[in-house]
Amino acid sequence: MNEPTTAATSVPTDSPAPAPAPASAPAPAARAFRLHYAWVVAAVALLVLVGSAGFRSTPGLMMDALNSEFGWSHATIASAVSVNLTLYGLTAPFAAALMDRFGVRLVVVCALLTISTGAGLTVLMTQSWQLILCWGVLVGLGSGSMAGAFATTVSGRWFKARQGLVTGVLTAGGAAGNLVFMPLLARLVEQHGWRTAVVVVSLASTVVAVPVLLLMRERPADLGLFPYGATEAPPAPVTDGSALARSLRVLRDAARSRAFWLLAGSFAICGATTAGLVGTHFIPAAHDHGMPVTTAASLLALVGVFDVAGTIASGWFTDRFDSRMLLVAYYALRGISLLFLPQLFAGSLKPPILAFVIFYGLDWVATVPPTVALCRQHFGADAPIVFGWVLAAHQIGAAVVAGLAGLSRDTFGNYDLAWYAAGGLCAVAVLLCLALRRRPTGTAPAAALA
């Protein structure tokens, strides 16, 4: 059967069009498959998220190099990571509102150039506060503007069908960033020094801005389309007023909801047990046991390989199963794996650590699609900004644990206490998710106290 196209644009679509073609128009014998532009936007977003994740992963690779050159302690270097993670999270809800107010393309391009500037200036630093300023503040602000709120905004604007799957794929971009960049940057640090690695990051973040400028579009309506899978146009967006005021208003309303605090608390533990601990300290912890930095970086990249599969599968599961129970399963499995990790480290690559990488990797950020889905269920149109605040909790949890784990390493000479504590935190996250209540089908999302 022939599919009609919109009269407003020549951009093809594989979703239903708003009006049929005139009866007098000749019907072709066969119509070639045409790609909905939503998939082009999703592909550009995926490229941005892959790059952003790779850029943020660099300090963990430089920790031993900076310690050797400047004599800075693990806790001092980790403090820059903590600032980065905190700003990464706190920027997200404001970035979501800024995208509504000024457009996705402008916000993302400015964010990429901020990362480029922060990374580039790092080569000139001689004091630890300069690391905090460049990598903590500038890279943190830039990467935070492309955090989960970006993926939520793109999937929410451009997709009616397949939202969970697209959210999973975009989230998996973070893992793919580690996959692409970690081994390369580790080799650059080892063979050419950490300055070469940060120059590569600076140049790459500038290059990624080019397809954003050329291909990113704001909304399907700009091309005369409906969102993918939609049969009617979504409500007109509200873009007037201050982005700052809207972000704070949404936070005020959401904070009245029991669901918000349960989601924020569990997601803070998610950040603590991924980006804060494993993402920042896995490489130096493995190096403490005699493993070469390049081998440890490859293992962390392998976590990213399996996380791509795990997160995409999680998006598929989220479209079909109870998101609360998915989160319970994910946190429980993660906690078990972290409790075993201290006994698995070795000076060379052995089957037990590979088993951990596979098991833990499948669960790395599989929590994101069901958390986004729960934000949509409870908070409706404000979900991207609410998820931005939930993500802020994620990054604050990551920042706190990144600093505390570095301090633990300096105090006790190993990371064992940090791994065991992380396993215990996952048990707390399980309880928080069990306390979430299902919103009855057909009721309007609300920020009232549940």
Side-chain angles (χ1 to χ4, degrees):
M1 179 179 292
N2 297 328
E3 291 188 18
T5 57
T6 61
T9 180
S10 61
V11 176
T13 175
D14 55 5
S15 64
S24 59
R31 183 177 183 272
F33 170 78
R34 297 183 179 181
L35 185 71
H36 194 291
Y37 202 80
W39 296 109
V40 177
V41 173
V44 174
L46 180 62
L47 175 64
V48 169
L49 291 167
V50 166
S52 176
F55 305 150
R56 288 189 294 107
S57 67
T58 308
L61 297 169
M62 302 190 305
M63 194 168 291
D64 289 321
L66 295 177
N67 176 264
S68 298
E69 180 171 338
F70 297 107
W72 300 338
S73 69
H74 286 71
T76 297
I77 300 168
S79 67
V81 179
S82 295
V83 172
N84 178 294
L85 293 170
T86 300
L87 290 177
Y88 177 90
L90 293 177
T91 303
F94 299 104
L98 287 170
M99 287 175 188
D100 284 343
R101 182 72 176 87
F102 299 107
V104 171
R105 180 162 51 183
L106 177 62
V107 172
V108 170
V109 168
C110 290
L112 287 167
L113 295 180
T114 301
I115 291 175
S116 178
T117 302
L121 290 175
T122 308
V123 301
L124 304 176
M125 69 181 179
T126 57
Q127 303 293 326
S128 59
W129 67 266
Q130 294 165 343
L131 175 67
I132 295 172
L133 174 63
C134 294
W135 215 274
V137 176
L138 292 179
V139 176
L141 289 172
S143 57
S145 298
M146 299 175 295
F150 175 46
T152 308
T153 298
V154 168
S155 62
R157 287 184 183 183
W158 284 89
F159 293 87
K160 177 68 173 178
R162 304 289 189 269
Q163 277 190 350
L165 179 62
V166 172
T167 302
V169 171
L170 294 180
T171 303
N178 286 334
L179 166 65
V180 171
F181 284 95
M182 290 287 279
L184 170 64
L185 293 175
R187 187 166 295 278
L188 287 175
V189 170
E190 186 176 73
Q191 296 185 355
H192 302 286
W194 63 268
R195 289 177 177 82
T196 301
V198 298
V199 168
V200 169
V201 168
S202 179
L203 294 175
S205 60
T206 302
V207 170
V208 171
V210 175
V212 177
L213 284 170
L214 295 177
L215 299 174
M216 181 62 70
R217 298 293 182 270
E218 297 302 325
R219 298 177 185 274
D222 297 343
L223 301 175
L225 302 174
F226 293 159
Y228 178 81
T231 57
E232 59 183 10
V238 178
T239 59
D240 57 339
S242 166
L244 173 63
R246 185 185 176 204
S247 297
L248 294 176
R249 175 185 59 77
V250 170
L251 173 62
R252 179 198 64 199
D253 294 341
R256 299 171 181 168
S257 168
R258 179 172 179 263
F260 173 79
W261 292 108
L262 292 171
L263 288 169
S266 61
F267 218 44
I269 293 173
C270 178
T273 54
T274 52
L277 183 57
V278 176
T280 304
H281 294 283
F282 180 86
I283 293 173
H287 189 59
D288 284 346
H289 290 78
M291 182 176 290
V293 170
T294 51
T295 302
S298 297
L299 283 175
L300 198 55
L302 194 59
V303 168
V305 174
F306 286 97
D307 182 52
V308 171
T311 306
I312 292 174
S314 179
W316 188 86
F317 292 149
T318 300
D319 288 333
R320 290 161 175 80
F321 302 110
D322 186 345
S323 295
R324 300 171 306 148
M325 294 300 103
L326 289 176
L327 289 177
V328 167
Y330 296 157
Y331 286 122
L333 294 173
R334 182 184 300 174
I336 292 170
S337 66
L338 289 171
L339 289 174
F340 281 100
L341 182 58
Q343 285 74 45
L344 304 181
F345 282 118
S348 60
L349 196 57
K350 294 185 177 180
I353 194 68
L354 283 174
F356 167 82
V357 165
I358 295 170
F359 190 82
Y360 180 84
L362 290 170
D363 195 1
W364 173 265
V365 287
T367 55
V368 174
T371 302
V372 170
L374 288 167
C375 286
R376 287 195 178 112
Q377 290 173 22
H378 288 276
F379 303 102
D382 287 333
I385 298 177
V386 172
F387 180 69
W389 286 112
V390 172
L391 182 63
H394 179 283
Q395 296 307 116
I396 291 172
V400 170
V401 169
L404 289 177
L407 182 61
S408 174
R409 166 61 176 78
D410 290 337
T411 303
F412 301 106
N414 59 59
Y415 286 99
D416 289 1
L417 178 61
W419 304 123
Y420 294 135
L425 285 174
C426 287
V428 175
V430 167
L431 296 177
L432 293 175
C433 295
L434 286 172
L436 274 168
R437 297 175 184 172
R438 185 197 299 269
R439 190 174 63 82
T441 303
T443 60
L449 184 65

